[in-house]
């Protein structure tokens, strides 16, 4: 049945048709941030940071434990040192939770100049946009469908999957947090 016929039948029965709204788009910048602490390499879209805490990258990795219950791991990396700053495992990670975890990491490692992420719902939420504005941190979104623009974190995620997630069987969320915490050290 096509849309026009369905719409006509709904109208005849006096039913209201739910209109779909457009997809929410990220409001951050798409142009790479150029700061004094970065050098640009020919052919690269994102400049390479020269010192720690210039740019952090964020991404999610998902896996399952036990009876196919899913959980996600938020990975946070420093792009200069390629050090993993944190692995946060949970069944649900909202934008507000990501903001709390980033605040805790800033207390430990210092404030980054820029954070790079994809356009996931957690990263484009109003909680994250408000947090980034209040913290004075530039947030850069990669182009949709272009994970190679955030290649350092994607490479880390691949290694994490190969060396940990595919090798370990997680019994519970506590087990996943304990094993992720051991990796982050």
């Amino acid at each position: 049945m096509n849309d026009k016929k369905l719409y006509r039948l709904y109208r005849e029965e006096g039913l209201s048709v739910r209109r779909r709204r457009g997809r929410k788009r990220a409001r951050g910048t798409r142009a790479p941030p150029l700061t004094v602490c970065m050098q640009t390499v020919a052919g690269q879209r994102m400049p390479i940071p020269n010192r720690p805490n210039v740019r952090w990258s964020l991404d999610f990795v998902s896996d399952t434990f036990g009876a196919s219950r899913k959980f996600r791991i938020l990975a946070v990396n420093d792009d200069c040192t390629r050090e993993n700053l944190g692995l946060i495992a949970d069944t649900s990670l909202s934008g507000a939770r990501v903001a709390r975890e980033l605040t805790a990491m800033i207390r430990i490692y210092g404030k980054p100049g820029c954070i790079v992420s994809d356009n996931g719902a957690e990263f484009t939420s109003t909680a994250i946009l408000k947090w980034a504005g209040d913290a004075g941190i530039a947030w850069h979104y990669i182009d949709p469908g272009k994970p190679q623009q955030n290649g350092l974190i994607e490479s880390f995620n691949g290694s994490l999957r190969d060396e940990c997630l595919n090798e370990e069987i997680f019994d519970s969320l506590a087990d996943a947090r304990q094993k992720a915490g051991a990796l982050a050290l």
Side-chain angles (χ1 to χ4, degrees), residues 23-24 26 30 117-124 141-145:
R23 184 177 170 271
K24 187 176 102 176
R30 295 225 189 274
S117 71
D118 58 9
N119 298 294
E122 297 85 4
F123 299 137
T124 58
Y141 294 101
I142 62 172
D143 293 327

Side-chain angles (χ1 to χ4, degrees), residues 58-73:
L58 308 178
D59 203 7
F60 285 103
V61 183
S62 58
D63 200 11
T64 59
F65 48 73
S68 68
R69 173 132 166 121
K70 291 189 174 194
F71 70 96
R72 299 174 81 190
I73 296 176

Side-chain angles (χ1 to χ4, degrees), residues 172-183:
S172 64
L173 186 58
D175 183 38
R177 285 179 177 160
Q178 185 240 344
K179 289 177 181 172
L183 286 174

